Amino acid sequence: MDTEPAALRRAQLWWHTVKHLRPSQVVGRARLQAQAAYRRHNPDRARRRYDRAAARLDRIPSTRRWTKTAGALLCRATSSDLTAAMERAANAKQGRFQFLNDEQSLGRPIAWHAPGPSQLWRYQLQYGGYLMDLAATHADAWPAVSSIMREWIAGNRLGETRDAWHPFVASERLVNWIFAIHLSAPVDGIGADILRALAVQTVFVDGNLETDVGGNHLLKNLKAMVVAACFWNGREADRWYEKYADRFTRELQAQLLSDGAHYERSPMYHALVLADALELTAMIRASGRSIPDALAGVIRAMVAYLPQMTHPDGEIALFNDSVLGEAPSPASLRAFAACVLDDDVQPHSLTVRQSAISAHLEGPVANPGGGWSPETQEDGGLVTIPALDLRGIALIDVGPACPDDLPAHAHGDIFSFELSLDGQRMIVDSGVGEYQAGPWRDYYRSTRAHNTVAVDGEDQIECWGSFRVARRARILDRQAIAEPFLHGITARHDGYARLAKPVYVRRVFVALADSAWLVIDSLEGTGAHTWESFIHAAPDVSVDHDGERRAQLSRPDQRLAIACFGFAAASVVRGAEAPHQGWYAPEFGRRLPASVLVLSNRGPLPAHCGYLIVPDRPASDVDIVSEPGGLRIRMGSSRFLAEHSASDIRVRPVS
C-alpha cells in the first residue's frame, strides 16, 4: 500500500527538479555519463585514447613560468596560516591527512582508496592541495612533491578509479600540481612520467567539461584549462588559452549578479569562485601575459561584494552551503586581489564599521532595487542592518534560495538572519556539517535549521538527496524601509503557496531607534495553520525563556533580550536527535550542540507574529504587545507604537 504513494512522491520530486534544467544541461549530463561508462567498461581503450591525445602536446612546459614567477602567485601560496601549512606538509610526507576535521593515516605509498572516509574527504585527498603546502613551506620540496605525484600516478589509473577522475576533482588537482611544480621543480628535472600524467589530465579536463552542472564546477574546469594553457608550450596550448581564457571570463560574467554576488548565493562559494578567478589571474601574470580588462572588472565586482557577506569578526555568513575554513577569508581575498591586480587596496580585516557602511549605505538597504524584480531577482539578497552605533550587525537573506538551474547548495533559509554584537556572533545559521545524503544533510538544509518561519511543519523549498531541490520559493516583492526611528527591509515569499490552503509569508526586519531589531512576520492566507519561528543561538550562548512572551540570550559579557508576540508556546531545544534540532556546524565534520528558541502557534489566517531583539538589557526590561492600534513596544523607559500594514510600517514614540 505504501509503495505506490512513495513512488509517486519520488516521481513528483524528480519532475519538479528536472523541469528547471536547461536542455544543454541534460545533454551535458548524458555526454559525461556515457564517457564515464566507456572508461569503466573499456579502461585500456580509454587510456590509449587519452595517451594519443596527450601525445599531441609538445610535453614541454613554457619557460616563461620560470622567468616571471610573479609575487601574486606566491601570495596565494602563503596567504593561509604558515604554521598550519607546515604541519599539513609534514603530515603529508608521512601519509597522514586531515580534511573535514577527520584525520586519516594512509601510509606511504598512500592508500588512495582506503574505505571509511566520506566521498568529499576522498575528493580532498585527490585534490592534492598538500603539494602546495610542501612547495610553499620547504626550500627543497621537489623530491617530496614528485614522490607523492608518482604514488598518485601508480595508484589512480584512468578508468579504474572514479574519485580521481571526476572532472571537478581532476581540475582541482591539475591546478595544484602545476602550481606545486611552478614553485618547487627545477626547470629541467620534472620527469617525463609526471609531464605525461599532467598532459593526460589536461586533455581529460578538456574533454569532460561539466556543462551539466555549470556554476562553480564549470568555472573550475575552465580555470584549470587556462592554467594548463599557461603551463604548456606550443600550438595546442596557445589554442587552449585563446579558447578558455575568454570563456572563463564570459562564464563568470554570466554567473555574476547585479551587486557582484555569485549567483549560487552561498558566501562560501562566492569566496571559492573569487579565489579561482584570482589564481587564474595570477597564472596569467606568471606566464607573462596581460590580464584581460573584463576579467579584472568581474574580480573587482566580486571583491566589492565581500563586505556584504562578512561579519564583524572578518569571516563569512553561513547562509546556504557555507562553512568556515574551506575558502580564504575575505581579508585574504582582498589582499590577494590587491596583489594580483596591482590595485591600491590595503589588505586588512573587515571591521564592524567597514562592513556596516559598505553593505548598509551602499547596498540593498539603501537601494534594494539594483535591477531587482520578481522576474529577475538579480542580486545576492544579503542585507546588512546595523544598530547601536554599529556595535550590532544583523545580516538577513532576502533573496531566492538558488538559481533555477543550479539548486545544489540551496537551503530553506529565506528571511533567515545572523546577528553579531560587539564583534561576536550571538544568533547564527546552523551551517552545514556534511554533504552526504541522509538525516543530517536534510536537517542542515531544512527551514527549522534557520532563523525564519516554518508553516505546517513544511520546508520553504523541497530539498532532497544531497544537492537537489524540487519546488522552490520565489521572492514576490522587496522594499527598503527608511522611516523616522526605522531602517531595514520587508519582503514576501511564496514558499508555502503549494499547501492545500496556500500561505504567503512576509517578513519585516528593521532596526528600531538604533537600539534594537524588530521582526514582524505576516502569514497571509485562509484556513487554520500551524507556524513556528526559530532563533538559533551560538553554542556558547545560553537561552532562557519565561513562557512565550520573553527570552534571554546571554554570555558572561553579553546579552540579548527578546520580547515576543503572536505565539502560544515556546521551548528551548539543544542537541536533539529525534528529530535533529539545536546543532551548529561551523565547519565540515564539526557538529556542536547549540540552543534554539522555538516559538509556535496555531490558528486562522491572516496572522501576525514576531519579536523584538534588544541588546544589553534583561528580558524583564522589554515588552511587545499586539493591539488593534498596532504594536506597543517597551525598552526600559522608552516606549513606541509600531503601526504596520501588509507592506508598510511606521513607528512613533509614545509617553
Side-chain angles (χ1 to χ4, degrees):
M1 292 293 292
D2 293 337
T3 304
E4 184 173 340
L8 178 61
R9 171 65 177 154
R10 187 81 172 176
Q12 290 173 335
L13 289 173
W14 271 110
W15 164 244
H16 288 294
T17 300
V18 302
K19 73 179 184 180
H20 295 285
L21 299 179
R22 292 174 280 106
S24 61
Q25 290 180 283
V26 178
V27 173
R29 174 58 59 91
R31 173 182 59 83
L32 288 177
Q33 288 186 335
Q35 290 177 185
Y38 178 83
R39 293 193 298 270
R40 286 196 306 272
H41 296 296
N42 304 279
D44 292 334
R45 289 183 181 179
R47 283 192 288 272
R48 288 195 296 270
R49 173 185 166 191
Y50 281 106
D51 281 341
R52 287 194 298 270
R56 292 196 290 269
L57 282 173
D58 290 349
R59 300 276 184 92
I60 300 173
S62 172
T63 55
R64 286 177 294 185
R65 66 190 180 85
W66 283 284
T67 59
K68 185 175 175 61
T69 300
L73 184 59
L74 293 175
C75 178
R76 181 264 186 185
T78 58
S79 61
S80 60
D81 185 290
L82 186 60
T83 302
M86 293 180 68
E87 182 178 353
R88 290 192 298 268
N91 286 338
K93 286 184 176 182
Q94 304 300 318
R96 294 195 307 272
F97 304 92
Q98 179 170 305
F99 310 116
L100 316 179
N101 287 296
D102 177 14
E103 183 170 323
Q104 300 280 336
S105 182
L106 304 181
R108 297 291 303 273
I110 296 167
W112 298 100
H113 313 293
S118 68
Q119 184 180 60
L120 184 58
W121 195 99
R122 300 195 307 270
Y123 279 0
Q124 298 259 357
L125 176 68
Q126 290 286 343
Y127 293 164
Y130 39 84
L131 297 178
M132 281 293 298
D133 294 323
L134 279 164
T137 59
H138 289 71
D140 184 24
W142 180 241
V145 169
S146 59
S147 174
I148 292 177
M149 287 180 174
R150 290 188 169 98
E151 289 179 22
W152 184 90
I153 293 168
N156 294 279
R157 299 211 305 167
L158 189 144
E160 296 178 3
T161 58
R162 291 191 183 186
D163 293 341
W165 295 97
H166 185 287
F168 184 92
V169 176
S171 298
E172 186 76 21
R173 181 176 58 248
L174 181 60
V175 171
N176 282 326
W177 277 35
I178 288 173
F179 278 18
I181 288 171
H182 192 112
L183 291 172
S184 66
V187 175
D188 299 320
I190 297 175
D193 55 341
I194 291 175
L195 290 174
R196 174 188 169 278
L198 268 177
V200 169
Q201 291 175 74
T202 303
V203 297
F204 174 83
V205 173
D206 182 38
N208 290 272
L209 301 180
E210 293 175 88
T211 55
D212 59 331
V213 176
N216 72 87
H217 277 236
L218 181 57
L219 289 171
K220 185 75 72 175
N221 306 151
L222 300 176
K223 166 201 171 183
M225 290 306 302
V226 177
V227 170
C230 293
F231 176 80
W232 294 110
N233 195 29
R235 183 178 302 173
E236 187 74 355
D238 290 341
R239 183 184 70 82
W240 280 335
Y241 185 83
E242 292 299 320
K243 176 181 179 181
Y244 286 117
D246 180 63
R247 186 171 176 183
F248 178 92
T249 301
R250 286 187 286 108
E251 185 64 34
L252 183 54
Q253 286 175 318
Q255 293 184 24
L256 225 56
L257 301 172
S258 63
D259 56 356
H262 185 250
Y263 82 142
E264 292 185 61
R265 294 182 171 87
S266 155
M268 181 179 78
Y269 280 96
H270 179 94
L272 289 170
V273 167
L274 176 54
D276 281 338
L278 290 168
E279 290 180 5
L280 176 147
T281 306
M283 192 62 179
I284 290 174
R285 284 193 60 182
S287 70
R289 297 175 170 90
S290 59
I291 302 169
D293 289 341
L295 177 58
V298 293
I299 287 174
R300 291 188 178 100
M302 296 188 76
V303 170
Y305 182 76
L306 290 174
Q308 213 155 302
M309 62 181 220
T310 305
H311 274 275
D313 62 10
E315 293 290 351
I316 61 173
L318 300 188
F319 299 117
N320 282 322
D321 272 347
S322 293
V323 295
L324 304 177
E326 287 298 307
S329 70
S332 295
L333 290 168
R334 287 173 64 94
F336 191 19
C339 185
V340 169
L341 300 178
D342 284 335
D343 280 352
D344 186 19
V345 177
Q346 294 300 314
H348 56 267
S349 297
L350 296 169
T351 66
V352 172
R353 181 170 294 276
Q354 289 159 340
S355 175
I357 290 176
S358 296
H360 171 55
L361 297 183
E362 301 173 5
V365 168
N367 179 18
W372 185 92
S373 74
E375 288 71 35
T376 58
Q377 305 193 21
E378 286 184 346
D379 65 23
L382 298 187
V383 174
T384 301
I385 303 176
L388 293 124
D389 244 353
L390 304 178
R391 282 183 52 218
I393 300 291
L395 287 80
I396 180 170
D397 185 353
V398 289
C402 59
D404 276 343
D405 60 352
L406 184 50
H409 300 296
H411 287 206
D413 65 354
I414 298 173
F415 301 166
S416 185
F417 68 96
E418 295 188 310
L419 192 149
S420 286
L421 181 63
D422 294 328
Q424 297 185 68
R425 302 185 193 206
M426 293 283 286
I427 297 175
V428 298
D429 185 277
S430 292
V432 53
E434 60 186 51
Y435 279 171
Q436 185 171 333
W440 284 109
R441 178 64 171 158
D442 293 343
Y443 168 68
Y444 289 119
R445 299 181 82 193
S446 71
T447 298
R448 71 180 187 276
H450 302 91
N451 302 306
T452 188
V453 174
V455 178
D456 292 344
E458 297 287 334
D459 291 324
Q460 302 164 339
I461 62 174
E462 290 184 310
C463 297
W464 65 288
S466 293
F467 301 111
R468 297 188 175 101
V469 177
R471 288 176 288 187
R472 65 272 322 248
R474 295 177 71 245
I475 307 299
L476 300 178
D477 63 71
R478 195 178 78 189
Q479 300 174 36
I481 296 172
E483 299 285 343
F485 304 102
L486 294 176
H487 66 267
I489 198 156
T490 178
R492 179 171 173 259
H493 77 73
D494 67 353
Y496 297 108
R498 68 179 187 270
L499 299 179
K501 293 183 178 180
V503 177
Y504 296 85
V505 177
R506 173 178 295 281
R507 170 160 282 192
V508 172
F509 197 110
V510 291
L512 171 62
D514 196 45
S515 300
W517 292 270
L518 175 61
V519 181
I520 303 172
D521 291 311
S522 299
L523 280 64
E524 307 164 5
T526 60
H529 297 268
T530 299
W531 57 92
E532 294 175 296
S533 187
F534 306 91
I535 302 175
H536 294 259
D540 62 337
V541 172
S542 65
V543 179
D544 300 293
H545 71 96
D546 177 14
E548 73 281 1
R549 292 288 305 279
R550 295 183 184 88
Q552 189 88 52
L553 277 61
S554 55
R555 287 190 177 102
D557 58 341
Q558 292 176 309
R559 57 184 174 178
L560 294 174
I562 297 180
C564 312
F565 73 96
F567 300 106
S571 62
V572 175
V573 183
R574 182 181 179 91
E577 298 196 23
H580 296 320
Q581 182 58 281
W583 296 94
Y584 178 56
E587 301 169 6
F588 285 126
R590 186 177 176 215
R591 184 167 63 238
L592 304 172
S595 298
V596 53
L597 178 64
V598 182
L599 304 164
S600 59
N601 203 350
R602 177 173 177 79
L605 299 190
H608 305 282
C609 60
Y611 42 87
L612 182 70
I613 305 172
V614 187
D616 304 329
R617 288 189 178 275
S620 58
D621 269 7
V622 302
D623 199 14
I624 184 168
V625 179
S626 179
E627 297 178 349
L631 297 171
R632 292 202 171 269
I633 297 168
R634 176 175 63 86
M635 299 185 293
S637 60
S638 300
R639 285 164 171 74
F640 298 88
L641 177 65
E643 300 168 307
H644 67 94
S645 61
S647 59
D648 190 30
I649 181 171
R650 285 179 170 79
V651 166
R652 58 184 173 86
V654 294
S655 57

